[in-house]
Amino acid sequence: MDHFTSLETLLLHADADEAESAIAPPLYQTVPFSAATAEEFAEMNAVARHERYYRRYGNPTQARLEKIVAAAEGAEAALATASGMGAISTSLLSLLSGGDHVVAQRSMYGGTLSFLQDMAPRFGVETTLIDQTDTEAFERAVRPNTRLIMIETPSNPLLRLTDVAAVTGLARDRGILTFADNTVATPVNQRPLDLGVDLVMHSVTKTLSGHSDVLAGIVAGRADLVERIWRTHTVIGSVVSPHDAWLALRGLRTLGMRAERQNRTALALAGFLSEHPAVARVNYPGLEAHPQHELAKRQMRGYGGLLSFELRGGHAAAERLIAALELPVLSPSLGGVRSLVVRPAAMWAQELTEEQLAEAGVPFGLIRFAVGLEHEADLIADLEKGLAA
Ligand SMILES: *Cc1c(COP(=O)(O)O)cnc(C)c1O
């Protein structure tokens, strides 16, 4: 298979198993496997990442998912987990020790920020949060005990970019590991490992599985790092179910087509919205008006299916628009076949004030639009009608 390198083909063939004649991958819904002899059993226990021993250690359906994502990201190895947060927390618990320091972005997935700000300090790990659009801020935040830099680009929900090559360059010079959340971009649009990152992760729940019916995560990179994370994983136990791994595999077969279509539709919606008089601001890296569009062109092949925007009428107008839209469903996820829309500030309205949200960089009236696979003309017509209301 080594001579086939295009993503579409790898997504279909990178997990091929010569000994298996079933065209669709078998679903191994089992926890333990049997051994023929005591010696074989002892060997299964000793081999790292054995696929046929006990499910917390591995599973053949999970292994096929790992092969596909490793190939898509250009990684030596991958480890699938029960959720995106499972991949993040297991990796960080594996790579960090008390006394270590982390540099991370202020604009980042809420669960990652919670882990770094609320949980990691209890284990003696400190984090400095910085503005990802300021590359020098990463350098200024580095300390002698900085062990890891965590990035997410484009970030959610503001679609801000991190200069991946610049950050990995400064990290490498200092022996610091870099860890990238590539959920929003997907490997169709961006491959952080090619830009020097040590580890890349995904919430497989989102665009990789793509149908809003799977909860799973994955971390990919150098085989020695992934094996180290796997050792922690066997005691944390954030294990993906074989059924979710199987559904994720099915979703991944069409990732290329889905992500490209979402790229195209999102660019069209961003263009339409930025010309509409009721819209105050549109965040989408594919727009020439995006302050980091040049960087986006340099490190991305497409700009993804996620955009956000603000209306001149503020949060009240945003709520009216969301209520008037017929196609996108009000929901907090992204990357599925149906378009989803949400006002992120509304999700935290019970916990945070408008001022606290502004501090976290989430404008009160911001609308996040996660593009699905509906026809672009129907989505634009829906928005047009909703904005007129
Ligand atoms: C959803 C998401 C996560 C967490 O993934 P789960 O599968 O929900 O645990 C992490 N990072 C980003 C960018 C996400 O969108």
Side-chain angles (χ1 to χ4, degrees):
M1 270 313 145
D2 290 352
H3 50 290
F4 294 113
T5 55
S6 66
L7 181 77
E8 290 79 357
T9 306
L10 289 173
L11 291 171
L12 298 168
H13 295 282
D15 62 329
D17 175 358
E18 312 266 288
E20 178 55 66
S21 63
I23 300 300
L27 163 50
Y28 285 87
Q29 187 73 46
T30 180
V31 177
F33 286 82
S34 66
T37 61
E39 289 73 32
E40 194 195 336
F41 191 67
E43 191 189 307
M44 282 157 69
N45 183 35
V47 171
R49 314 205 58 195
H50 201 295
E51 291 171 22
R52 290 165 177 266
Y53 170 51
Y54 184 82
R55 190 156 101 204
R56 187 152 36 78
Y57 292 69
N59 172 281
T61 312
Q62 172 188 338
R64 289 179 81 138
L65 166 62
E66 289 162 347
K67 279 189 193 134
I68 291 283
V69 176
E73 286 288 2
E76 279 176 9
L79 172 70
T81 54
S83 66
M85 278 317 299
I88 290 171
S89 56
T90 306
S91 302
L92 294 179
L93 286 167
S94 170
L95 302 170
L96 301 169
S97 304
D100 286 343
H101 174 247
V102 176
V103 176
Q105 303 171 184
R106 196 165 289 123
S107 174
M108 193 124 113
Y109 184 70
T112 313
L113 285 176
S114 278
F115 185 93
L116 290 171
Q117 290 186 288
D118 305 335
M119 185 142 156
R122 289 169 32 213
F123 297 90
V125 173
E126 273 188 67
T127 299
T128 304
L129 297 182
I130 49 114
D131 170 1
Q132 78 198 89
T133 64
D134 176 6
T135 303
E136 281 155 21
F138 284 92
E139 199 154 6
R140 285 196 302 274
V142 165
R143 300 182 193 164
N145 61 336
T146 303
R147 169 83 180 130
L148 184 115
I149 299 180
M150 176 99 205
I151 61 173
E152 183 183 319
T153 178
S155 66
N156 169 12
L158 290 173
L159 287 306
R160 292 195 179 142
L161 268 51
T162 310
D163 186 335
V164 183
V167 171
T168 56
L170 78 88
R172 206 175 312 109
D173 290 347
R174 294 166 175 79
I176 300 170
L177 288 171
T178 44
F179 187 17
D181 184 335
N182 203 30
T183 301
V184 172
T186 82
V188 174
N189 294 318
Q190 170 178 283
R191 293 219 311 190
L193 295 172
D194 295 346
L195 299 167
V197 158
D198 293 299
L199 286 165
V200 59
M201 68 73 51
H202 282 275
S203 167
V204 174
T205 313
K206 312 292 168 52
T207 320
L208 294 203
S209 67
H211 294 71
S212 304
D213 52 10
V214 165
L215 185 74
I218 203 157
V219 55
R222 251 174 31 219
D224 65 312
L225 286 175
V226 173
E227 185 176 324
R228 185 171 156 185
I229 296 167
W230 171 79
R231 289 193 188 283
T232 303
H233 178 69
T234 63
V235 295
I236 298 283
S238 173
V239 180
V240 65
S241 90
H243 188 229
D244 275 5
W246 188 88
L247 283 170
L249 264 175
R250 158 176 281 220
L252 274 158
R253 307 300 185 194
T254 56
L255 172 67
M257 297 162 67
R258 286 185 290 104
E260 273 168 29
R261 172 59 74 98
Q262 289 175 347
N263 285 348
R264 229 190 313 147
T265 306
L267 185 62
L269 295 193
F272 163 78
L273 287 167
S274 52
E275 278 165 22
H276 198 284
V279 177
R281 179 189 170 82
V282 182
N283 305 308
Y284 187 66
L287 290 177
E288 271 173 39
H290 188 285
Q292 296 172 293
H293 182 61
E294 286 307 311
L295 172 61
K297 281 203 290 196
R298 222 175 330 131
Q299 70 185 22
M300 301 181 81
R301 275 169 295 209
Y303 305 110
L306 191 68
L307 60 130
S308 63
F309 58 100
E310 288 174 76
L311 299 181
R312 292 197 194 284
H315 79 275
E319 286 299 337
R320 278 201 304 278
L321 173 63
I322 290 172
L325 290 172
E326 283 183 67
L327 291 177
V329 192
L330 176 61
S331 170
S333 195
L334 62 102
V337 288
R338 290 172 70 181
S339 291
L340 307 177
V341 69
V342 73
R343 186 168 68 87
M347 291 196 279
W348 301 300
Q350 304 284 333
E351 298 142 58
L352 302 177
T353 64
E354 184 167 347
E355 290 70 38
Q356 284 171 320
L357 282 162
E359 214 168 286
V362 182
F364 207 55
L366 188 79
I367 298 172
R368 188 183 76 181
F369 199 114
V371 172
L373 296 177
E374 297 89 348
H375 198 286
E376 163 191 321
D378 290 333
L379 288 173
I380 288 180
D382 197 21
L383 276 168
E384 206 153 30
K385 196 161 96 335
L387 286 166

